[in-house]
Amino acid sequence: MHAAIPVATSQVQAPPKLAAPLFPLTRPNAPRLSAYVDDLAAIEDSCWLSNYGPVNDRLEHRLVEKLFAGVGECLTVCNATIGLMIGLKLASERSRKGPYVLMPSFTFAAAAHAVLWAGLKPLLVDIEPESWTADRAQEERLLAAHGDEIAAIMPYATFGTCLDLDRYDRLSDRYDVPVVIDAAASLGSVDARGMGFGTGSRHTIIYSMHATKAFGVGEAGLVYSSDAETIALLRRMGNFGFGADRSATLPGLNSKVSEVAALSALVKLADFEAQIAHRTALAETYLQELPGWTAQRTEGRRIAYQFMPMLLPADLISARDRIRTALSSAGVGTGQYFTPHIFEQPYFRTRCAAEPLPVTEALCARIMSLPISDFMTADDVATVCQIVRGICAEILGADAVQGFRA
Ligand SMILES: *Cc1c(COP(=O)(O)O)cnc(C)c1O
C-alpha cells in the first residue's frame, strides 16, 4: 500500500493579501478560451496536441493574412526569447563570422541571454535620445571597423516603435551581415506605409505574445520573414533540427507551440484590431495630460503600446523613487524599463563588450512607465495623470520649502 499523501496542516500563515493596484502597469486581457469549448474539444478529439498541428497552421496563415497583408511567412514559437535564440543561431551559421552581435544596451535581458545561448557575444551600442533605438553612427562605425567579427546585427524596435528597415537592408548588404530584429513589443504596430511592422522584410523578425505585451496570450511568440527559406530552416531548428528522416541536420531545440496555445492566439487575433486602436487612444491621452513629460519619438502610424514609457521632467529626475512609491500607494503601478540596462547587470557585465553609453544612462535615470491596458478608459488615464501631477506638485513644493532647489 502506498503511504497516504501528507496533508499540509496549514501551520504556515498565508501572507497578507495586498490590495491589487487600481491601475496595474499592465493587465493581461486573456483570450476567452472558455467561450471556445467546441474548438477545445476538437483539439482533444484530434489527439494532435503539438508539432505544428492544424490549429497552429491556421494561426500562422491567419497572422500573415491579418498582420502582414498576406505577404511573407511566419513561424510560431513558444516564446520570443527562444525565437531570438534560433534566429541568431541561424544568422551565425549563415554569416560564419563572430563572435559579436551588435545590439543596444537599452533592452530587456532576454535579448542578451539569447545572444549568449546562441554562443555569441553582445556588443552593446548606445541609443539615440529621441527614438530610443540603436545609435546609427555607432552601429556604422563598429561595422566598418569590426565587420568581420560581427555575426549579426540585432536592433530592438524599442517599445513597439517601427524601425527604418531599408537602412538595415543597406547595412546588411554593405557588410554582408544578417539582421535579426527584436520586435518583441511590435506585434500590432503599423509602419508609415500602413502595413504591419516588418511586412515584406527579408530579415528575421521576432515578436512576443507574452502576457505583458499588447498581443498578450501567455507564453508564445512569432518569427516573421519574407524569406521562405529562413522560415523553413527555423521551423526545422525549432523541431530539434530534424531533416526529413527525423535525423538532425541543423542545430536544434524545441520551440513549438501547443495546439491549445495556438487556439488561444487565434482567439486573441479576432479582437486585436480594436484593442490596439484603444491602446493608441490611451497613449494620446497621456501625451495631452502630462505636459512637461517627454514621450518617445516613435516611427510608424500606430504603436502596439504595452505600457506608456515617458521621461520625467528635468526637475523631477532625482525624485523618481519617491514618485513611484507615492503612485504605488495611490494604486497606480509603474515601471522603469530598462533600468538596469544590459551592461549594468552583473551577469552581462563580464560577458559583453560595450561602447560608451551616455544616452542610455541619461535615459535610464529619467524613464518611468505608466499603465496601459485594454480595460482602462481614457478617463482612467486622465485620473492616473491627475494623481501623477498631484504627487509631482507636492514633491516640488516640499523640496522648495526645504531649500532643495535654491
Ligand atoms: C518581452 C521581451 C522579450 C521576450 O519575450 P518572451 O516572449 O517573454 O520571451 C524580448 N525582448 C524584449 C525587448 C521584450 O520586451
Side-chain angles (χ1 to χ4, degrees):
M1 247 188 76
H2 295 290
I5 296 167
V7 175
T9 43
S10 193
Q11 300 290 5
V12 186
Q13 283 267 313
K17 228 181 173 178
L18 291 172
L22 203 52
F23 302 112
L25 179 64
T26 66
R27 189 173 191 185
N29 184 4
R32 291 277 149 191
L33 264 187
S34 48
Y36 289 79
V37 174
D38 291 350
D39 298 81
L40 281 169
I43 292 173
E44 290 164 359
D45 292 339
S46 76
C47 297
W48 196 341
L49 302 184
S50 183
N51 288 19
Y52 309 130
V55 181
N56 186 72
D57 203 41
R58 202 168 359 129
L59 171 64
E60 288 181 355
H61 279 98
R62 205 123 350 130
L63 283 166
V64 169
E65 205 178 277
K66 285 189 106 167
L67 300 183
F68 302 100
V71 179
E73 300 200 12
C74 76
L75 164 70
T76 56
V77 285
C78 51
N79 60 60
T81 309
I82 296 274
L84 288 168
M85 280 166 58
I86 56 174
L88 288 163
K89 186 75 182 165
L90 178 61
S92 88
E93 296 273 317
R94 280 171 160 172
S95 74
R96 302 195 168 276
K97 292 191 264 191
Y100 294 113
V101 173
L102 203 54
M103 60 175 281
S105 190
F106 188 71
T107 186
F108 187 52
H113 278 307
V115 171
L116 293 165
W117 278 106
L120 301 164
K121 192 171 170 171
L123 173 52
L124 302 172
V125 296
D126 207 0
I127 47 172
E128 301 194 351
E130 294 187 334
S131 68
W132 311 349
T133 55
D135 183 297
R136 286 169 287 181
Q138 272 187 9
E139 279 183 330
E140 278 154 48
R141 191 157 33 73
L142 288 167
L143 283 164
H146 306 286
D148 51 348
E149 294 172 83
I150 295 173
I153 317 175
M154 184 171 67
Y156 166 41
T158 309
F159 299 131
T161 187
C162 298
L163 295 172
D164 179 356
L165 295 179
D166 293 341
R167 179 176 162 270
Y168 282 106
D169 288 351
R170 291 193 295 273
L171 288 184
S172 176
D173 290 342
R174 174 148 182 220
Y175 296 101
D176 189 25
V177 63
V179 180
V180 176
I181 297 166
D182 183 350
S186 298
L187 204 52
S189 292
V190 170
D191 68 18
R193 301 170 300 174
M195 300 175 100
F197 172 66
T199 301
S201 172
R202 63 179 144 105
H203 304 304
T204 306
I205 312 185
I206 290 99
Y207 308 83
S208 173
M209 299 181 182
H210 187 260
T212 52
K213 305 296 200 283
F215 197 102
V217 164
E219 292 286 357
L222 189 73
V223 186
Y224 171 88
S225 178
S226 70
D227 179 48
E229 195 197 347
T230 296
I231 296 298
L233 287 170
L234 291 173
R235 190 180 298 284
R236 284 173 49 205
M237 287 172 69
N239 189 30
F240 311 105
F242 283 161
D245 55 354
R246 292 184 66 78
S247 158
T249 56
L250 290 169
L253 44 67
N254 180 357
S255 67
K256 290 166 292 176
V257 164
S258 76
E259 287 285 273
V260 173
L263 177 61
S264 202
L266 267 175
V267 172
K268 184 80 188 172
L269 191 56
D271 297 325
F272 190 51
E273 275 302 313
Q275 291 167 0
I276 296 299
H278 181 67
R279 283 168 181 261
T280 309
L282 298 182
E284 268 154 25
T285 308
Y286 271 117
L287 298 181
Q288 286 157 17
E289 296 281 333
L290 289 179
W293 292 57
T294 308
Q296 178 184 17
R297 196 203 64 219
T298 53
E299 294 295 329
R301 275 196 208 167
R302 190 178 81 180
I303 309 299
Y305 286 97
Q306 61 177 137
F307 43 64
M308 188 67 193
M310 293 192 87
L311 302 185
L312 288 157
D315 53 355
L316 282 161
I317 296 176
S318 61
R320 180 171 61 185
D321 286 351
R322 279 190 284 167
I323 296 171
R324 293 191 62 203
T325 304
L327 281 169
S328 171
S329 305
V332 178
T334 60
Q336 51 180 41
Y337 295 96
F338 297 99
T339 302
H341 61 86
I342 299 295
F343 200 53
E344 286 180 316
Q345 301 182 36
Y347 183 75
F348 299 128
R349 180 109 205 163
T350 54
R351 290 167 177 82
C352 298
E355 285 289 283
L357 304 167
V359 180
T360 302
E361 274 150 23
L363 200 89
C364 280
R366 223 181 137 174
I367 201 157
M368 197 172 101
S369 298
L370 292 161
I372 282 189
S373 81
D374 297 345
F375 303 101
M376 286 178 89
T377 63
D379 282 350
D380 290 337
V381 170
T383 303
V384 166
C385 293
Q386 196 182 4
I387 296 171
V388 169
R389 290 193 307 264
I391 287 167
C392 293
E394 207 167 293
I395 285 174
L396 286 174
D399 285 0
V401 167
Q402 289 170 36
F404 285 0
R405 266 158 236 280

